[in-house]
């Protein structure tokens, strides 16, 4: 069984490495394009601000996550150095929380900006949403920072009680095992993931209902509306995000449940890691093709690369 764990670990590390570097390049592309536009225009709209913070969060989330996976598999004893494991996990929790909540903010923004409801509160949000976005993003960063600090403190207390382990197996158990200090952290992680998941579901359903009602109105009046294209484009992005977010959420919960019995469920843990590392890159790629500016820039770069390759 130990040999199976090792073989699965090597295979998972190779796949995770490919997923991580692809995701980092995709999110770095988003950040670079938006930063260049920021320098040229001296400003960014609300959608671009959310995408910029989302790209930064996902880039560092993938980077720190890969470093932790690589070190724990190749150089596990390096995690014994004081505060190394705590800093990696605290930073990972900060960027992971930021990733989840900025994603939810983007979904809510799409719903408020595109959906049409006659409710007075919804109309108020539609008028004020552009002014609210910077404060929402700032609140997300502060909230994620608090969660990262709590994670660091919880893990530091748990590790200090496990200083007597020496071999790799004990290190792995101490790394992912649930001790009494990990219960609050696991509970908070599950709660934050669930609430962010709900924050994605409701806007997606509201936007779907708005699209269905708008389409029915168009068919009744036998007319075409340019906003219909915006509805469909946003709906594709939100629904694809909802599907991927749901899969990512399910495997995150499975990771929290089965991590205490790693040796009996190592395949589930590896599969969960693969899904969680693929999600940031795949969804960011969908966001690129949902944004005309990013899509146009990406296609221009691809065409230039093709021309240079053909010239050779």
């Amino acid at each position: 069984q130990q040999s199976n764990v090792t073989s699965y670990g090597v295979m998972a590390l190779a796949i995770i490495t490919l997923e991580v570097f692809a995701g980092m390049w995709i999110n770095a592309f988003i950040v670079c394009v938006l930063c260049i536009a920021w320098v040229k225009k001296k400003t960014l709209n609300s959608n671009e601000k959310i995408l910029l913070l989302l790209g930064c969060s996902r880039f560092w989330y993938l980077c720190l996550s890969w470093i932790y996976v690589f070190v724990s598999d190749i150089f596990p004893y390096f995690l014994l150095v004081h505060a190394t494991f705590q800093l990696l996990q605290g930073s990972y929790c900060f960027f992971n929380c930021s990733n989840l909540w900025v994603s939810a903010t983007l979904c809510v923004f799409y719903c408020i900006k595109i959906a049409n409801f006659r409710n007075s509160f919804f109309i108020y949000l539609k008028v004020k949403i552009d002014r609210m976005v910077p404060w929402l993003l700032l609140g997300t960063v502060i909230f994620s920072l608090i969660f990262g600090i709590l994670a660091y403190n919880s893990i530091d207390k748990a590790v200090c009680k496990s200083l007597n382990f020496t071999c790799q197996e004990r290190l792995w158990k101490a790394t992912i095992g649930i001790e009494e200090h990990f219960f609050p952290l696991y509970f908070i992680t599950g709660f934050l993931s669930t609430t962010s998941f709900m924050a994605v579901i409701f806007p997606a359903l509201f936007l779907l209902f708005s699209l269905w009602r708008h389409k029915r109105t168009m068919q009744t009046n036998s007319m075409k509306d340019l906003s219909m294209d915006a509805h469909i484009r946003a709906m594709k992005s939100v629904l694809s995000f909802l599907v991927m977010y749901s899969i990512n959420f399910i495997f995150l919960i499975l990771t929290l449940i089965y991590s205490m019995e790693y040796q009996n469920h190592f395949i589930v843990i590896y599969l969960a890691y693969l899904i969680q590392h693929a999600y940031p890159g795949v969804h960011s790629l969908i966001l690129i093709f949902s944004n005309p500016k990013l899509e146009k820039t990406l296609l221009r770069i691809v065409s230039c690369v093709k021309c240079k390759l053909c010239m050779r």
Side-chain angles (χ1 to χ4, degrees), residues 262-304:
Y262 170 76
Q263 295 296 335
N264 296 327
H265 303 94
F266 60 88
I267 296 181
V268 177
I269 300 296
Y270 285 143
L271 184 59
Y273 283 160
L274 295 179
I275 296 297
Q276 291 171 16
H277 287 86
Y279 155 73
V282 174
H283 181 244
S284 294
L285 189 62
I286 293 176
L287 290 177
I288 290 175
F289 287 103
S290 301
N291 186 294
K293 180 188 297 184
L294 295 174
E295 181 182 10
K296 184 178 179 180
T297 305
L298 179 62
L299 294 178
R300 189 188 310 130
I301 293 175
V302 172
S303 62
C304 291

Side-chain angles (χ1 to χ4, degrees), residues 39 41 62 83 233 235 295 297:
V39 172
K41 299 188 304 181
L62 290 170
R233 187 166 56 251
M235 200 63 227
E295 181 182 10
T297 305

Side-chain angles (χ1 to χ4, degrees), residues 80 159-167 170 174:
L80 289 173
V159 169
C160 288
K161 296 185 65 176
S162 304
L163 293 178
N164 57 346
F165 57 81
T166 55
C167 66
R170 289 284 294 163

Side-chain angles (χ1 to χ4, degrees), residues 110-117 122 126 206-207 210 231:
Y110 277 158
C111 177
I112 295 176
K113 203 70 175 178
I114 298 175
N116 292 312
F117 295 102
F122 187 84
K126 184 181 285 288
F206 286 147
L207 194 55
S210 176
H231 272 71

Side-chain angles (χ1 to χ4, degrees), residues 5-225:
V5 173
T6 304
S7 60
Y8 279 118
V10 173
M11 186 183 303
L13 179 60
I15 298 175
I16 286 174
T17 300
L18 294 176
E19 293 176 343
V20 164
F21 280 92
M24 289 175 63
W25 275 106
I26 292 171
N27 286 283
F29 168 79
I30 294 176
V31 173
C32 290
V33 171
L34 294 179
C35 286
I36 293 173
W38 193 2
V39 172
K40 289 182 178 179
K41 299 188 304 181
K42 307 298 182 182
T43 184
L44 291 175
N45 59 41
S46 299
N47 182 47
E48 291 172 338
K49 292 176 183 176
I50 299 174
L51 290 177
L52 179 60
L53 184 57
L54 182 62
C56 292
S57 299
R58 286 179 170 174
F59 178 87
W60 289 110
Y61 161 76
L62 290 170
C63 181
L64 290 171
S65 180
W66 182 82
I67 290 174
Y68 169 71
V69 173
F70 179 80
V71 171
S72 62
D73 282 350
I74 307 301
F75 306 107
Y77 293 105
F78 182 73
L79 296 177
L80 289 173
V81 179
H82 179 67
T84 301
F85 177 55
Q86 295 91 313
L87 286 173
L88 280 175
Q89 286 295 309
S91 301
Y92 169 83
C93 290
F94 166 72
F95 287 109
N96 186 32
C97 182
S98 178
N99 169 35
L100 293 177
W101 279 100
V102 176
S103 300
T105 302
L106 180 64
C107 194
V108 173
F109 175 80
Y110 277 158
C111 177
I112 295 176
K113 203 70 175 178
I114 298 175
N116 292 312
F117 295 102
R118 296 180 180 179
N119 183 274
S120 58
F121 180 69
F122 187 84
I123 295 174
Y124 172 80
L125 290 178
K126 184 181 285 288
V127 173
K128 298 291 184 179
I129 186 63
D130 289 322
R131 295 182 181 180
M132 295 170 60
V133 164
W135 295 104
L136 288 174
L137 296 179
L138 178 61
T140 298
V141 172
I142 295 175
F143 183 75
S144 301
L145 182 61
I146 294 174
F147 179 63
I149 294 173
L150 290 175
Y152 176 91
N153 290 332
S154 299
I155 294 172
D156 187 56
K157 292 179 181 179
V159 169
C160 288
K161 296 185 65 176
S162 304
L163 293 178
N164 57 346
F165 57 81
T166 55
C167 66
Q168 182 174 352
E169 182 180 358
R170 289 284 294 163
L171 176 62
W172 179 255
K173 289 183 179 180
T175 301
I176 66 171
I178 298 181
E179 301 182 20
E180 57 177 329
H181 292 96
F182 282 139
F183 278 111
L185 180 61
Y186 273 59
F187 175 77
I188 295 174
T189 302
F191 176 76
L192 292 179
S193 301
T194 304
T195 51
S196 61
F197 180 65
M198 298 303 293
V200 169
I201 288 181
F202 288 112
L205 294 178
F206 286 147
L207 194 55
L208 179 62
F209 176 74
S210 176
L211 175 63
W212 172 78
R213 190 178 63 175
H214 186 72
K215 183 178 180 180
R216 188 182 61 176
T217 302
M218 287 179 56
Q219 290 176 344
T220 302
N221 297 332
S222 299
M223 59 181 293
K224 292 185 178 180
D225 192 348

